[in-house]
Amino acid sequence: MRQSQMLINGEQVASLSGKVEVIKNPANQEPVAEVSVGGREDARLALQAAEQAFPVWSETPSQKRAKILHAAADLVRTRAEEIARLLTLEQGKPLKNARMEVLSAADALDYYAEEGKRNFGEWITSSQSRSIVLRQPVGVAALITPWNFPVDLLAWKVGPALAAGCTFVAKPPSAAPLAATEFVRAVNDAGLPPGAANVVHGPGGEVGAELVENPISRKIAFTGETKTGRWIMAHAAGQIKRISLELGGQSPFIVCPDADLEKAAAACAQRAFSNMGQICMSVNRVYVADEVAEEFTEKLVQRTEQLRIGNGMEPDVDLGPMFSEAMREKTREHVADALARGAELLYGGREPEGAAFARGFFFLPTILSGADHSMKVMREETFGPVAPIMQFKKLEEAVFLANDTEYGLAAYVFTSDLKTALYASERLEAGSIGVNVNSVVDMQAPFGGWKQSGLGRELGHHGLEAYLETKHIRLGN
Ligand code: NDP
């Protein structure tokens, strides 16, 4: 069986305890690889390696850092097929989506290679003195990531961290560490000094906690559940550690009476169900104007019927299995709760039938109508393939409902009127608004949450700033 070890100080190493775990394919439960499982002591060794590499990497000129990051992007592209196959095998997503994820991770390295060169300072003069303002790397960064996009979400951190001059220790998700580890290995192989890039496997409560609490790490960049984000924020507080938190979402999708319904239905089906709804900016709540509700719902069901579900390694599959039985059980529970409270099941709501699905965590994409805010699907993050529909009369009401949540990551509005789009966009409480578009991710623009969806921003130049400290040098006359 394939072995996956950790990466510490430029070397592939087993954990100090020698413990290993088997990673299984969520499509059929077959073993994929054996992974080395570390603990607090392994995390400490990785942090020490990153600390030793920091002076070397942070003093490497940004032009040279950019060359290495471009080389890393090329190496990730060269190894993309292998990394993508591992990603599908451990996470379940269709291979075409896994390829896109890995290639997009390479693009993030290219983007930050260039953005790092633009880390300019300032020169300020006054009558008494001159001031120089420098933007310097914050130090060793701990990068902690979830299983739904284990490569991309890590690349959003690795790129800016290295471009800023930081060294890092990554902690991939325990149940899907393979592709992320191979991604960092490719980055390391591109010519980084030993110890600049490290990966430690192991439980969040041990390895993750050590990365948060150990004073060697000066910055925590975390993507994951809001509950874990709260824990990290509380435990980083003792050292006033820099933190970036990308947390859960409960994204609304508003369909106005003047929307292009064909386009809106296609966009909604894709964003509600791709990656089996296991995306932080998935469509979680659909608000449709009364006058177009019937037509929109029909189109949404038609679009959904066309989605092909199966083992992600098969060609032409649109949806793979869910990541785990726990995720599937939560989805079942949320659907049952909605039905018990009066929702109507229009599509899905159960596992697909047939021998091909018997051993995997499959679940049909699910559409519910008659949803309201008493239901869990409308209040909690389902993180599953469920699109609950609720009707509204006036846009003000839709915006109010959309904001009636503790989350604020993304929101979507479909309309053909600019005034309506601006009215809603300016009032929706979310870090990103998609107007007539179902993705709010753009490498050059900031991504992050309002309210309990997070703190700080990734992507764009904002993503680089998260790894920099400001220093003022005052020169006397
Ligand atoms: P978790 O919060 O459970 O885990 C995320 C990572 O944190 C894992 O590597 C986990 O390790 C680690 N971890 C767990 N406990 C601790 C701890 N005490 N200290 C440090 N690290 C810890 O999230 P999931 O993996 O379940 O991911 C799903 C969640 O991620 C959803 O809520 C989703 O909305 C959110 N997400 C947010 C995004 C955003 O950009 N806002 C994007 C994508 C997902 P281990 O695997 O060992 O438990």
Side-chain angles (χ1 to χ4, degrees):
M1 202 189 312
R2 189 186 174 104
Q3 307 288 317
S4 177
Q5 295 194 316
M6 304 187 290
L7 178 70
I8 299 182
N9 205 23
E11 305 280 337
Q12 290 194 68
V13 291
S15 62
L16 292 169
S17 69
K19 194 175 163 199
V20 291
E21 261 170 27
V22 175
I23 301 297
K24 291 186 181 161
N25 183 342
N28 52 22
Q29 309 261 16
E30 283 174 10
V32 179
E34 213 172 52
V35 64
S36 231
V37 180
R40 280 191 181 259
E41 193 51 40
D42 301 273
R44 272 179 220 131
L45 289 177
L47 285 167
Q48 283 159 10
E51 186 180 37
Q52 275 171 19
F54 180 70
V56 182
W57 183 245
S58 59
E59 287 174 23
T60 301
S62 59
Q63 301 282 344
K64 190 168 173 204
R65 288 205 295 257
K67 279 203 174 113
I68 294 175
L69 273 169
H70 281 308
D74 288 344
L75 210 48
V76 170
R77 287 189 191 100
T78 306
R79 299 182 190 174
E81 192 58 26
E82 186 204 346
I83 302 174
R85 291 178 79 82
L86 280 176
L87 179 51
T88 292
L89 290 172
E90 68 181 333
Q91 200 274 351
K93 66 182 66 185
L95 188 54
K96 64 182 176 193
N97 298 115
R99 286 190 184 113
M100 275 164 55
E101 179 171 342
V102 177
L103 294 176
S104 145
D107 290 346
L109 299 177
D110 274 336
Y111 175 78
Y112 280 105
E114 295 305 308
E115 203 56 42
K117 291 183 197 168
R118 290 187 277 271
N119 175 23
F120 305 128
E122 290 172 79
W123 175 266
I124 303 164
T125 48
S126 74
S127 52
Q128 287 90 31
S129 64
R130 291 174 182 81
S131 290
I132 301 168
V133 181
L134 299 181
R135 309 279 284 144
Q136 294 187 311
V138 59
V140 172
L143 315 180
I144 305 175
T145 46
W147 48 262
N148 61 338
F149 284 87
V151 179
D152 230 3
L153 294 172
L154 186 55
W156 293 9
K157 299 168 177 56
V158 166
L162 289 176
C166 295
T167 55
F168 71 83
V169 178
K171 198 216 92 59
S174 292
L178 306 173
T181 302
E182 288 309 301
F183 166 75
V184 179
R185 205 156 67 83
V187 172
N188 178 67
D189 290 352
L192 286 175
N198 305 275
V199 182
V200 186
H201 303 149
E206 289 176 46
V207 168
E210 181 66 28
L211 296 182
V212 171
E213 290 167 346
N214 192 308
I216 292 177
S217 69
R218 298 272 184 90
K219 158 91 195 177
I220 314 296
F222 170 77
T223 301
E225 280 185 51
T226 295
K227 189 176 64 168
T228 317
R230 281 190 203 109
W231 188 94
I232 289 178
M233 197 169 175
H235 285 76
Q239 297 166 49
I240 319 286
K241 232 171 237 193
R242 289 2 178 194
I243 52 173
S244 306
L245 303 174
E246 298 286 352
L247 309 175
Q250 240 291 5
S251 306
F253 186 99
I254 300 176
V255 185
C256 298
D258 59 0
D260 176 336
L261 296 183
E262 203 60 62
K263 195 172 162 189
C268 183
Q270 205 246 346
R271 184 51 64 225
F273 304 135
S274 74
N275 211 32
M276 291 306 279
Q278 301 164 133
I279 308 184
C280 52
M281 58 166 194
S282 256
V283 170
N284 303 102
R285 297 173 283 145
V286 186
Y287 299 104
V288 191
D290 276 345
E291 46 276 59
V292 293
E294 199 179 324
E295 195 183 340
F296 170 82
T297 305
E298 238 168 61
K299 289 182 190 301
L300 180 62
V301 172
Q302 280 163 13
R303 289 276 171 179
T304 306
E305 283 167 348
Q306 290 162 16
L307 296 172
R308 218 184 132 227
I309 187 163
N311 184 323
M313 294 304 277
E314 287 167 15
D316 303 326
V317 161
D318 299 302
L319 306 174
M322 297 196 69
F323 181 61
S324 65
E325 182 52 33
M327 298 313 299
R328 182 165 67 169
E329 186 47 39
K330 186 175 183 194
T331 303
R332 273 196 208 108
E333 187 212 319
H334 278 202
V335 171
D337 170 79
L339 295 177
R341 289 170 192 273
E344 190 188 339
L345 182 65
L346 301 183
Y347 191 81
R350 59 175 173 82
E351 288 108 76
E353 284 159 7
F357 304 110
R359 301 195 63 216
F361 308 126
F362 293 95
F363 199 81
L364 286 171
T366 298
I367 302 172
L368 302 167
S369 67
D372 64 44
H373 279 213
S374 71
M375 300 168 184
K376 286 185 181 175
V377 275
M378 302 296 274
R379 305 214 66 88
E380 297 174 22
E381 188 181 38
T382 306
F383 226 52
V386 184
I389 301 174
M390 179 170 180
Q391 291 183 212
F392 69 85
K393 292 192 190 324
K394 291 203 160 148
L395 185 58
E396 293 84 334
E397 183 195 348
V399 170
F400 174 83
L401 289 166
N403 288 339
D404 180 25
T405 169
E406 69 194 30
Y407 294 108
L409 189 62
Y412 307 90
V413 188
F414 277 68
T415 173
S416 52
D417 180 45
L418 182 60
K419 255 172 101 177
T420 305
L422 288 176
Y423 174 90
S425 301
E426 287 173 0
R427 286 162 182 79
L428 285 165
E429 297 170 350
S432 302
I433 314 290
V435 177
N436 295 328
V437 68
N438 71 352
S439 170
V440 288
V441 169
D442 187 324
M443 197 77 78
Q444 300 177 66
F447 179 81
W450 280 26
K451 302 197 275 187
Q452 296 193 35
S453 283
L455 202 63
R457 291 294 177 269
E458 293 193 306
L459 302 183
H461 65 84
H462 314 75
L464 184 72
E465 282 154 22
Y467 295 87
L468 295 168
E469 287 278 27
T470 300
K471 182 184 281 171
H472 169 208
I473 302 171
R474 188 165 186 232
L475 303 175
N477 286 328

